[in-house]
Every structure is written in C-alpha cells, then in structure tokens.
Amino acid sequence: MKKALTALTIAALKPTATAYYVGDAKQDGLRLRVAPDGKLTWNVTVRIKHGKLLSTSLGRCDHEGRNGLDLAGARERAAAIVKAARTGTNLIAEERASREARENLTKTSALIDSYGKDIANPNRKGGALRTAEEIRRRLKRALAAKLTNPAQSLTRRDISSLLDPVAVEFPREAEKRRQVIDAMFRWGVAKGYVETNPVQGLPSYGTGAPRDRVLSRDEIKKLWLWLEDGADNMPPDTIRVLKLQLLTGARVGEIAGIETSEIWFEGGRLFWTLPEERSKNKKSHTRPLVGRARSIVEGLLEPEPKGALFRILDKSRTLRSDDIGLALNHRTRPIQHFTTHDLRRTVVSGLDELGVPLETIAAVVGHRRGGKDTRTLIKHYSRPNLDSRIEAALLIWDEHLDQLLKS
C-alpha cells in the first residue's frame, strides 16, 4: 500500500494485530512501518544495481524530528540511499565501514607502543636505538592527556597546549618532547598509521640556558653527608647510584642499569664493563672501580649473580634514570637545585682542576677522545690500554673527595 504521506495521513495510521508497511508515493523505496503497539519506524527498501535487495531501518518516525526522523528527513535520507543503489553502491555498508574505521583509528597510546617497538628492533635500518625505552617513556609523559584519543585527531593546537606549560619552566624538556613527538608522527605517516603530522610547523622551544652547573667543594661535601644520612629516607639503591655517579662520572642511567654480569675481577682489581648496547656511543667501556666506588659495588656482590645490581624499592625491576630524578624531586635537597648530569659535569671539572689530562678525563667518562685526526689514529693504528690511566685518575678523584670530606 502506498500513500502520499503527510503529517495528517501519518497521524491517522492505526495499529493492527500485525505490523504493516505504508509506502511513500513521493519517494521510491521509503516505507513507514506501523507496529502492533503503534510505534512508527522508517524503512527503505531498494535493489542495489546488479545486486541484492537492500532493506534497512532508518529509525523512529518523529513529526518534530527531535527523537527520530520527520517526513522530510526520512525522504532525504531515503533519496540518498536509492541514488547510491542505482549506481551499484551500498551506502549503508559504506557508512558502516567508515564508522568502524573511525572507531578503530590508532589510539595515541598504541602509536607510541608501535613506534617504541620499531626503534627498539635490532633488525631495523641503523639498528636499535639505545634510548628507545627512554623515548617511549618521554612520549607517554608528553602525551599523557591524549593517550586514549585517536592519534590522527591530534592537532598542532593540541601539541602546543601540552608543551607550552612545560616550556615556561623547562624549555629544554619541552623541546625534547617536541622532537620525539615529531619523529614519531613522521614515522607514523611513513607507515600509514596516520595521515598528517600535527607537529609540522610548530616552532622550536629552543635549548634553554646552557647547562654549566658544577657543584662547589662545599656543595659536594653537603650532598655526600646528606646521602650518608639517608637523604630524607631515599631508597638505599638510589643513594648508591648517586654516590657512584659522583665517584665515577658515569651517566646515571648507565649506573642504574648495572648488571652483576658487567662486574668482574682481575689481578685483585675490580672492573665494570658497560656493554655497547647500553652505551650512548654504542661502544663498550671498561672502568676500574676504586676506593669508595669499589666498596659500594663489592658490598652488593653475592657468590651467585643476581641480575640487576640496583632495583626499585619493591625489587620488581631495575632502576632507571627517571627513578633517580623522581627520587630527588620528591625531597628537599641540602644544596641548590641540581640534576644528575651536573654530578657528571662536576667530576669532569674536578679532574680538570686536579691536572688530569683532558684525553684521560674523556676516557674516564666514556667520551670519544680528541679531535677527528686523533680519533682516526686511535681507531686504525693504536690499541692503548687506558685502564691504568683511568684508574690513576679515579684514584686521584677518590683521594680528593676523601680530603674534602675530612676538611
């Protein structure tokens, strides 16, 4: 049955014991279903060109169009479906697929995880990034407020709103976050996870003030005594890591991640070999541990290797560099604000003041020695054993600290 549907004819429709349909004489395929309980719903039925019959509900009939479709809206919707069907297109199926695609868009958290796995893959071009885990954690922190959002939905304004507040106090960190987010989205575009990079066009936050903080003799003493006194209930392994950094000049992440397999004895001397996979320059580096540094490490060694030398308080995992930073940030320090890298810089500056040659200092802290020509000679012609010179430098530094603490 077909009728030229109007508001009046629709209002006059009465329910019967079984549902029935009333076709619209003005729009092909559009029908109104009248249920036994009097509910009215729109339906469209049309045959896809060279295909099957399509019959689908358009939703509830509502004269005011508030909780469903009014007559004009139903006709417009049906016309679009019929027009598409005549060209062989199932508009309903296409819309459903598009909706599912939007719902299944890569979430920001998933993009971070995928990127993190890729840069940590040793088989990738250029090999695994040593800082892959640090990059993943920085991305999680930087995009914490958007982790559940589709990555494709992020805009330049979103990124600015996340980084601008950080840049007020920590411009260097804001710039690092901008760089890692940019790198991830450029990778995401190349891989097809996202279509655009929201960081593109976002200006740099600069590098901030250059880092040149070096602890004075008095500050070194106050810091050491504070650590000896428990450092405001700081976890013991965190204290040991900070002490070792001040004793060796090594990077805090390198120390925090020490495995017992990296510690070894030879001729009554104790050595720590940083493997290339944990080294910033991807080269292994051996340090003799002397004086206080040897006492700290030797006191932790057991007859049987136990894996990580330093762990978080509940022992569930190895310490990381950000654990050390958080531990310091949550406590009142006995001296002016400093970072763990300032301790490394303090060792370098102190050794320089004590007259240790710069090339030996570079070897102590794991830097490449000399200029380009010097490095070429070392790489191709020289195989010097620097252990004795590194050991001598560290003994000088340990004795210097001993005198400083007794003063």
Side-chain angles (χ1 to χ4, degrees), residues 135-191:
I135 290 172
R136 191 190 68 82
R137 292 197 300 270
R138 177 169 272 122
L139 285 167
K140 291 279 189 180
R141 290 195 300 270
L143 299 172
K146 303 291 184 181
L147 292 179
T148 59
N149 292 43
Q152 181 60 48
S153 71
L154 297 189
T155 64
R156 191 184 308 168
R157 178 174 291 182
D158 291 328
I159 305 301
S160 294
S161 69
L162 295 172
L163 299 186
D164 286 353
V166 179
V168 173
E169 292 189 59
F170 307 104
R172 292 174 69 94
E173 176 61 21
E175 176 57 16
K176 285 182 179 179
R177 293 185 181 190
R178 187 196 69 81
Q179 290 177 5
V180 295
I181 296 171
D182 181 41
M184 179 183 71
F185 272 96
R186 282 189 283 107
W187 173 87
V189 170
K191 290 287 186 178

Short mmCIF file of all heavy atoms in Angstrom, two decimals, residues 135-191:
data_model
loop_
_atom_site.label_atom_id
_atom_site.label_comp_id
_atom_site.label_asym_id
_atom_site.label_seq_id
_atom_site.Cartn_x
_atom_site.Cartn_y
_atom_site.Cartn_z
N ILE A 135 62.79 7.14 25.16
CA ILE A 135 61.93 7.87 24.22
C ILE A 135 60.48 7.49 24.44
O ILE A 135 59.58 8.35 24.45
CB ILE A 135 62.36 7.59 22.78
CG1 ILE A 135 63.71 8.26 22.48
CG2 ILE A 135 61.30 8.09 21.78
CD1 ILE A 135 64.31 7.88 21.15
N ARG A 136 60.22 6.20 24.60
CA ARG A 136 58.84 5.74 24.81
C ARG A 136 58.26 6.35 26.08
O ARG A 136 57.11 6.82 26.09
CB ARG A 136 58.80 4.22 24.90
CG ARG A 136 57.38 3.63 24.86
CD ARG A 136 57.39 2.15 25.18
NE ARG A 136 57.75 1.93 26.56
CZ ARG A 136 56.88 2.04 27.58
NH1 ARG A 136 55.62 2.35 27.34
NH2 ARG A 136 57.27 1.82 28.80
N ARG A 137 59.04 6.39 27.15
CA ARG A 137 58.55 6.96 28.41
C ARG A 137 58.32 8.47 28.26
O ARG A 137 57.34 9.01 28.79
CB ARG A 137 59.53 6.68 29.55
CG ARG A 137 59.64 5.23 29.94
CD ARG A 137 60.28 5.07 31.30
NE ARG A 137 61.61 5.61 31.36
CZ ARG A 137 62.72 4.93 31.09
NH1 ARG A 137 62.63 3.67 30.71
NH2 ARG A 137 63.91 5.49 31.19
N ARG A 138 59.22 9.16 27.53
CA ARG A 138 59.03 10.61 27.33
C ARG A 138 57.76 10.88 26.52
O ARG A 138 57.02 11.83 26.81
CB ARG A 138 60.26 11.20 26.63
CG ARG A 138 60.10 12.69 26.33
CD ARG A 138 61.41 13.33 25.89
NE ARG A 138 62.18 13.81 27.02
CZ ARG A 138 63.41 13.44 27.31
NH1 ARG A 138 64.03 12.56 26.54
NH2 ARG A 138 64.04 13.94 28.35
N LEU A 139 57.47 10.05 25.52
CA LEU A 139 56.25 10.21 24.74
C LEU A 139 55.02 9.98 25.60
O LEU A 139 54.02 10.71 25.48
CB LEU A 139 56.25 9.22 23.56
CG LEU A 139 57.17 9.58 22.39
CD1 LEU A 139 57.34 8.40 21.45
CD2 LEU A 139 56.63 10.79 21.62
N LYS A 140 55.06 8.98 26.46
CA LYS A 140 53.92 8.71 27.35
C LYS A 140 53.67 9.88 28.27
O LYS A 140 52.51 10.26 28.53
CB LYS A 140 54.20 7.44 28.18
CG LYS A 140 54.22 6.15 27.39
CD LYS A 140 52.82 5.63 27.12
CE LYS A 140 52.88 4.23 26.52
NZ LYS A 140 51.54 3.67 26.24
N ARG A 141 54.76 10.48 28.80
CA ARG A 141 54.59 11.64 29.68
C ARG A 141 54.07 12.85 28.90
O ARG A 141 53.16 13.54 29.33
CB ARG A 141 55.92 12.00 30.35
CG ARG A 141 56.41 11.03 31.39
CD ARG A 141 57.51 11.64 32.25
NE ARG A 141 58.66 12.04 31.46
CZ ARG A 141 59.70 11.26 31.18
NH1 ARG A 141 59.71 10.01 31.62
NH2 ARG A 141 60.72 11.72 30.47
N ALA A 142 54.66 13.08 27.74
CA ALA A 142 54.30 14.27 26.96
C ALA A 142 52.86 14.24 26.48
O ALA A 142 52.18 15.26 26.44
CB ALA A 142 55.25 14.41 25.77
N LEU A 143 52.38 13.05 26.10
CA LEU A 143 51.03 12.91 25.52
C LEU A 143 50.05 12.25 26.47
O LEU A 143 49.04 11.70 26.05
CB LEU A 143 51.13 12.11 24.22
CG LEU A 143 51.99 12.75 23.12
CD1 LEU A 143 52.18 11.78 21.96
CD2 LEU A 143 51.37 14.05 22.62
N ALA A 144 50.34 12.30 27.77
CA ALA A 144 49.51 11.61 28.77
C ALA A 144 48.03 11.97 28.68
O ALA A 144 47.16 11.11 28.83
CB ALA A 144 50.04 11.91 30.18
N ALA A 145 47.74 13.23 28.41
CA ALA A 145 46.35 13.68 28.36
C ALA A 145 45.63 13.25 27.09
O ALA A 145 44.41 13.40 26.99
CB ALA A 145 46.28 15.21 28.48
N LYS A 146 46.35 12.70 26.11
CA LYS A 146 45.76 12.35 24.82
C LYS A 146 45.95 10.87 24.48
O LYS A 146 45.71 10.48 23.32
CB LYS A 146 46.39 13.20 23.70
CG LYS A 146 46.27 14.69 23.91
CD LYS A 146 44.84 15.18 23.77
CE LYS A 146 44.76 16.69 23.88
NZ LYS A 146 43.37 17.19 23.76
N LEU A 147 46.34 10.05 25.43
CA LEU A 147 46.67 8.66 25.13
C LEU A 147 45.49 7.87 24.58
O LEU A 147 45.67 6.96 23.75
CB LEU A 147 47.22 7.96 26.38
CG LEU A 147 48.58 8.44 26.87
CD1 LEU A 147 48.99 7.69 28.13
CD2 LEU A 147 49.64 8.27 25.78
N THR A 148 44.27 8.18 25.01
CA THR A 148 43.10 7.44 24.53
C THR A 148 42.49 8.06 23.28
O THR A 148 41.56 7.49 22.72
CB THR A 148 42.03 7.36 25.64
OG1 THR A 148 41.65 8.68 26.03
CG2 THR A 148 42.56 6.62 26.87
N ASN A 149 43.00 9.20 22.85
CA ASN A 149 42.49 9.84 21.63
C ASN A 149 43.08 9.16 20.39
O ASN A 149 44.21 8.70 20.42
CB ASN A 149 42.87 11.32 21.60
CG ASN A 149 42.17 12.13 22.66
OD1 ASN A 149 42.07 11.69 23.79
ND2 ASN A 149 41.73 13.31 22.32
N PRO A 150 42.32 9.13 19.29
CA PRO A 150 42.92 8.67 18.04
C PRO A 150 44.11 9.56 17.68
O PRO A 150 43.99 10.79 17.73
CB PRO A 150 41.79 8.81 17.02
CG PRO A 150 40.53 8.77 17.84
CD PRO A 150 40.89 9.45 19.13
N ALA A 151 45.23 8.97 17.35
CA ALA A 151 46.42 9.76 17.03
C ALA A 151 46.15 10.72 15.88
O ALA A 151 46.65 11.85 15.87
CB ALA A 151 47.58 8.84 16.69
N GLN A 152 45.33 10.28 14.91
CA GLN A 152 45.03 11.10 13.75
C GLN A 152 44.26 12.37 14.13
O GLN A 152 44.30 13.37 13.40
CB GLN A 152 44.23 10.30 12.73
CG GLN A 152 43.87 11.05 11.45
CD GLN A 152 45.11 11.53 10.70
OE1 GLN A 152 46.04 10.78 10.48
NE2 GLN A 152 45.11 12.81 10.31
N SER A 153 43.59 12.35 15.28
CA SER A 153 42.77 13.50 15.67
C SER A 153 43.59 14.62 16.30
O SER A 153 43.09 15.74 16.46
CB SER A 153 41.68 13.06 16.65
OG SER A 153 42.24 12.75 17.92
N LEU A 154 44.84 14.35 16.68
CA LEU A 154 45.64 15.38 17.34
C LEU A 154 45.99 16.50 16.37
O LEU A 154 46.33 16.26 15.21
CB LEU A 154 46.92 14.77 17.91
CG LEU A 154 46.75 13.71 19.00
CD1 LEU A 154 48.10 13.37 19.61
CD2 LEU A 154 45.78 14.17 20.08
N THR A 155 45.91 17.72 16.87
CA THR A 155 46.18 18.90 16.05
C THR A 155 47.41 19.64 16.60
O THR A 155 47.89 19.35 17.70
CB THR A 155 45.00 19.86 16.05
OG1 THR A 155 44.81 20.36 17.40
CG2 THR A 155 43.72 19.16 15.60
N ARG A 156 47.88 20.60 15.82
CA ARG A 156 49.01 21.41 16.28
C ARG A 156 48.65 22.13 17.57
O ARG A 156 49.48 22.27 18.48
CB ARG A 156 49.40 22.41 15.20
CG ARG A 156 50.73 23.11 15.48
CD ARG A 156 51.02 24.18 14.44
NE ARG A 156 50.92 23.65 13.09
CZ ARG A 156 50.92 24.40 12.00
NH1 ARG A 156 50.98 25.71 12.10
NH2 ARG A 156 50.82 23.85 10.80
N ARG A 157 47.41 22.58 17.67
CA ARG A 157 46.98 23.26 18.90
C ARG A 157 47.03 22.31 20.09
O ARG A 157 47.40 22.72 21.21
CB ARG A 157 45.56 23.81 18.72
CG ARG A 157 45.01 24.49 19.98
CD ARG A 157 43.68 25.15 19.72
NE ARG A 157 43.81 26.29 18.84
CZ ARG A 157 42.80 27.08 18.50
NH1 ARG A 157 41.57 26.81 18.95
NH2 ARG A 157 42.99 28.11 17.70
N ASP A 158 46.66 21.04 19.88
CA ASP A 158 46.73 20.05 20.96
C ASP A 158 48.17 19.92 21.47
O ASP A 158 48.42 19.90 22.68
CB ASP A 158 46.25 18.68 20.48
CG ASP A 158 44.76 18.63 20.22
OD1 ASP A 158 44.01 19.36 20.92
OD2 ASP A 158 44.33 17.90 19.32
N ILE A 159 49.10 19.81 20.53
CA ILE A 159 50.50 19.64 20.91
C ILE A 159 51.00 20.88 21.65
O ILE A 159 51.69 20.78 22.67
CB ILE A 159 51.39 19.35 19.68
CG1 ILE A 159 50.85 18.13 18.91
CG2 ILE A 159 52.82 19.12 20.11
CD1 ILE A 159 50.79 16.86 19.70
N SER A 160 50.64 22.05 21.15
CA SER A 160 51.05 23.29 21.81
C SER A 160 50.51 23.37 23.23
O SER A 160 51.21 23.79 24.15
CB SER A 160 50.57 24.50 21.01
OG SER A 160 51.20 24.57 19.76
N SER A 161 49.24 22.97 23.40
CA SER A 161 48.63 23.05 24.73
C SER A 161 49.31 22.12 25.73
O SER A 161 49.30 22.37 26.93
CB SER A 161 47.14 22.71 24.64
OG SER A 161 46.95 21.34 24.34
N LEU A 162 49.93 21.05 25.22
CA LEU A 162 50.64 20.11 26.09
C LEU A 162 52.06 20.58 26.39
O LEU A 162 52.58 20.35 27.49
CB LEU A 162 50.69 18.73 25.44
CG LEU A 162 49.35 18.01 25.25
CD1 LEU A 162 49.55 16.74 24.43
CD2 LEU A 162 48.73 17.68 26.60
N LEU A 163 52.70 21.24 25.43
CA LEU A 163 54.11 21.59 25.58
C LEU A 163 54.35 23.01 26.10
O LEU A 163 55.35 23.25 26.78
CB LEU A 163 54.83 21.43 24.25
CG LEU A 163 54.83 20.01 23.64
CD1 LEU A 163 55.71 19.98 22.40
CD2 LEU A 163 55.29 18.98 24.65
N ASP A 164 53.45 23.92 25.81
CA ASP A 164 53.65 25.31 26.24
C ASP A 164 53.82 25.45 27.76
O ASP A 164 54.72 26.16 28.22
CB ASP A 164 52.50 26.20 25.76
CG ASP A 164 52.57 26.48 24.27
OD1 ASP A 164 53.58 26.09 23.65
OD2 ASP A 164 51.61 27.07 23.72
N PRO A 165 52.97 24.78 28.58
CA PRO A 165 53.15 24.91 30.04
C PRO A 165 54.50 24.35 30.50
O PRO A 165 55.10 24.88 31.44
CB PRO A 165 51.99 24.08 30.60
CG PRO A 165 50.97 24.05 29.51
CD PRO A 165 51.77 24.00 28.24
N VAL A 166 54.99 23.31 29.84
CA VAL A 166 56.29 22.73 30.21
C VAL A 166 57.41 23.72 29.88
O VAL A 166 58.36 23.88 30.65
CB VAL A 166 56.53 21.40 29.46
CG1 VAL A 166 57.90 20.82 29.81
CG2 VAL A 166 55.43 20.40 29.80
N ALA A 167 57.26 24.40 28.73
CA ALA A 167 58.30 25.31 28.26
C ALA A 167 58.49 26.51 29.18
O ALA A 167 59.57 27.12 29.18
CB ALA A 167 57.99 25.79 26.85
N VAL A 168 57.48 26.86 29.96
CA VAL A 168 57.59 28.01 30.86
C VAL A 168 58.76 27.83 31.83
O VAL A 168 59.54 28.74 32.08
CB VAL A 168 56.27 28.22 31.63
CG1 VAL A 168 56.45 29.31 32.69
CG2 VAL A 168 55.15 28.59 30.67
N GLU A 169 58.88 26.61 32.39
CA GLU A 169 59.94 26.35 33.35
C GLU A 169 61.07 25.49 32.79
O GLU A 169 62.22 25.61 33.21
CB GLU A 169 59.36 25.65 34.59
CG GLU A 169 58.44 26.51 35.42
CD GLU A 169 58.07 25.84 36.73
OE1 GLU A 169 58.98 25.54 37.52
OE2 GLU A 169 56.87 25.61 36.95
N PHE A 170 60.72 24.61 31.84
CA PHE A 170 61.72 23.67 31.34
C PHE A 170 61.74 23.67 29.80
O PHE A 170 61.25 22.73 29.16
CB PHE A 170 61.42 22.26 31.86
CG PHE A 170 61.26 22.17 33.35
CD1 PHE A 170 60.00 22.05 33.92
CD2 PHE A 170 62.37 22.24 34.18
CE1 PHE A 170 59.85 21.97 35.29
CE2 PHE A 170 62.23 22.17 35.55
CZ PHE A 170 60.98 22.03 36.12
N PRO A 171 62.28 24.73 29.20
CA PRO A 171 62.27 24.80 27.73
C PRO A 171 63.04 23.66 27.06
O PRO A 171 62.65 23.21 25.99
CB PRO A 171 62.92 26.16 27.44
CG PRO A 171 63.67 26.51 28.69
CD PRO A 171 62.89 25.91 29.81
N ARG A 172 64.11 23.19 27.68
CA ARG A 172 64.87 22.09 27.09
C ARG A 172 64.03 20.82 27.03
O ARG A 172 64.04 20.10 26.03
CB ARG A 172 66.16 21.83 27.89
CG ARG A 172 67.18 22.95 27.81
CD ARG A 172 68.35 22.67 28.73
NE ARG A 172 69.15 21.55 28.28
CZ ARG A 172 70.22 21.66 27.51
NH1 ARG A 172 70.63 22.85 27.11
NH2 ARG A 172 70.92 20.60 27.15
N GLU A 173 63.30 20.56 28.11
CA GLU A 173 62.44 19.37 28.12
C GLU A 173 61.31 19.52 27.12
O GLU A 173 60.94 18.55 26.43
CB GLU A 173 61.88 19.15 29.53
CG GLU A 173 60.89 18.00 29.66
CD GLU A 173 61.48 16.64 29.30
OE1 GLU A 173 62.71 16.48 29.33
OE2 GLU A 173 60.69 15.72 28.98
N ALA A 174 60.73 20.71 27.02
CA ALA A 174 59.65 20.94 26.05
C ALA A 174 60.15 20.67 24.63
O ALA A 174 59.45 20.06 23.81
CB ALA A 174 59.12 22.36 26.17
N GLU A 175 61.37 21.12 24.34
CA GLU A 175 61.93 20.91 23.01
C GLU A 175 62.22 19.42 22.77
O GLU A 175 61.98 18.91 21.67
CB GLU A 175 63.20 21.73 22.83
CG GLU A 175 63.93 21.52 21.51
CD GLU A 175 63.08 21.79 20.28
OE1 GLU A 175 62.00 22.44 20.40
OE2 GLU A 175 63.46 21.36 19.19
N LYS A 176 62.70 18.73 23.78
CA LYS A 176 62.93 17.28 23.63
C LYS A 176 61.62 16.57 23.33
O LYS A 176 61.56 15.67 22.49
CB LYS A 176 63.56 16.71 24.89
CG LYS A 176 65.03 17.04 25.07
CD LYS A 176 65.58 16.39 26.33
CE LYS A 176 67.06 16.69 26.52
NZ LYS A 176 67.59 16.06 27.76
N ARG A 177 60.57 16.97 24.03
CA ARG A 177 59.26 16.35 23.79
C ARG A 177 58.77 16.67 22.38
O ARG A 177 58.22 15.80 21.71
CB ARG A 177 58.25 16.82 24.85
CG ARG A 177 58.58 16.34 26.25
CD ARG A 177 57.52 16.72 27.26
NE ARG A 177 57.88 16.26 28.60
CZ ARG A 177 57.07 16.28 29.65
NH1 ARG A 177 55.84 16.74 29.52
NH2 ARG A 177 57.48 15.84 30.82
N ARG A 178 58.95 17.92 21.94
CA ARG A 178 58.53 18.28 20.59
C ARG A 178 59.25 17.43 19.56
O ARG A 178 58.65 16.93 18.60
CB ARG A 178 58.81 19.77 20.33
CG ARG A 178 58.24 20.28 19.00
CD ARG A 178 58.86 21.62 18.60
NE ARG A 178 60.25 21.48 18.24
CZ ARG A 178 60.68 21.07 17.06
NH1 ARG A 178 59.82 20.75 16.11
NH2 ARG A 178 61.97 20.95 16.83
N GLN A 179 60.53 17.22 19.77
CA GLN A 179 61.33 16.46 18.82
C GLN A 179 60.91 15.00 18.75
O GLN A 179 60.80 14.43 17.66
CB GLN A 179 62.81 16.57 19.17
CG GLN A 179 63.40 17.95 18.93
CD GLN A 179 64.85 18.05 19.37
OE1 GLN A 179 65.46 17.06 19.79
NE2 GLN A 179 65.42 19.24 19.30
N VAL A 180 60.66 14.36 19.91
CA VAL A 180 60.30 12.94 19.88
C VAL A 180 58.88 12.74 19.34
O VAL A 180 58.61 11.75 18.64
CB VAL A 180 60.46 12.26 21.26
CG1 VAL A 180 61.91 12.25 21.68
CG2 VAL A 180 59.59 12.92 22.32
N ILE A 181 57.98 13.68 19.63
CA ILE A 181 56.62 13.59 19.07
C ILE A 181 56.68 13.75 17.56
O ILE A 181 56.02 13.03 16.80
CB ILE A 181 55.69 14.65 19.70
CG1 ILE A 181 55.51 14.40 21.20
CG2 ILE A 181 54.32 14.63 19.01
CD1 ILE A 181 54.78 15.51 21.92
N ASP A 182 57.49 14.71 17.10
CA ASP A 182 57.66 14.94 15.67
C ASP A 182 58.21 13.69 14.98
O ASP A 182 57.71 13.27 13.94
CB ASP A 182 58.60 16.13 15.47
CG ASP A 182 58.82 16.46 13.99
OD1 ASP A 182 57.84 16.41 13.23
OD2 ASP A 182 59.96 16.76 13.62
N ALA A 183 59.24 13.10 15.57
CA ALA A 183 59.85 11.90 14.98
C ALA A 183 58.84 10.76 14.91
O ALA A 183 58.77 10.03 13.91
CB ALA A 183 61.08 11.49 15.79
N MET A 184 58.04 10.59 15.97
CA MET A 184 57.06 9.51 15.98
C MET A 184 55.99 9.71 14.90
O MET A 184 55.64 8.77 14.19
CB MET A 184 56.38 9.41 17.35
CG MET A 184 55.32 8.31 17.41
SD MET A 184 54.45 8.23 19.00
CE MET A 184 53.46 9.73 18.91
N PHE A 185 55.49 10.93 14.76
CA PHE A 185 54.44 11.17 13.77
C PHE A 185 54.98 11.09 12.35
O PHE A 185 54.27 10.63 11.44
CB PHE A 185 53.74 12.50 14.02
CG PHE A 185 52.57 12.38 14.97
CD1 PHE A 185 52.73 12.65 16.31
CD2 PHE A 185 51.34 11.97 14.51
CE1 PHE A 185 51.66 12.52 17.19
CE2 PHE A 185 50.25 11.84 15.37
CZ PHE A 185 50.42 12.11 16.72
N ARG A 186 56.22 11.51 12.13
CA ARG A 186 56.81 11.35 10.80
C ARG A 186 56.92 9.86 10.46
O ARG A 186 56.66 9.45 9.32
CB ARG A 186 58.18 12.03 10.73
CG ARG A 186 58.08 13.54 10.58
CD ARG A 186 59.41 14.21 10.29
NE ARG A 186 60.25 14.32 11.47
CZ ARG A 186 61.33 13.61 11.72
NH1 ARG A 186 61.72 12.69 10.84
NH2 ARG A 186 62.04 13.79 12.80
N TRP A 187 57.29 9.06 11.46
CA TRP A 187 57.32 7.61 11.27
C TRP A 187 55.92 7.07 11.02
O TRP A 187 55.71 6.22 10.15
CB TRP A 187 57.93 6.96 12.52
CG TRP A 187 57.88 5.47 12.56
CD1 TRP A 187 58.80 4.60 12.03
CD2 TRP A 187 56.86 4.66 13.15
NE1 TRP A 187 58.41 3.29 12.27
CE2 TRP A 187 57.22 3.30 12.95
CE3 TRP A 187 55.68 4.93 13.84
CZ2 TRP A 187 56.46 2.24 13.41
CZ3 TRP A 187 54.92 3.88 14.30
CH2 TRP A 187 55.30 2.56 14.09
N GLY A 188 54.93 7.58 11.77
CA GLY A 188 53.55 7.13 11.62
C GLY A 188 52.99 7.44 10.25
O GLY A 188 52.26 6.62 9.67
N VAL A 189 53.33 8.61 9.69
CA VAL A 189 52.89 8.96 8.34
C VAL A 189 53.52 8.01 7.33
O VAL A 189 52.85 7.51 6.41
CB VAL A 189 53.25 10.43 8.01
CG1 VAL A 189 53.01 10.72 6.54
CG2 VAL A 189 52.44 11.39 8.88
N ALA A 190 54.82 7.75 7.48
CA ALA A 190 55.52 6.87 6.55
C ALA A 190 54.96 5.46 6.58
O ALA A 190 54.90 4.77 5.56
CB ALA A 190 57.02 6.85 6.88
N LYS A 191 54.52 5.03 7.77
CA LYS A 191 53.99 3.67 7.92
C LYS A 191 52.50 3.58 7.61
O LYS A 191 51.95 2.47 7.55
CB LYS A 191 54.23 3.19 9.36
CG LYS A 191 55.69 2.91 9.70
CD LYS A 191 56.17 1.65 9.02
CE LYS A 191 57.57 1.28 9.45
NZ LYS A 191 58.02 0.01 8.83
#
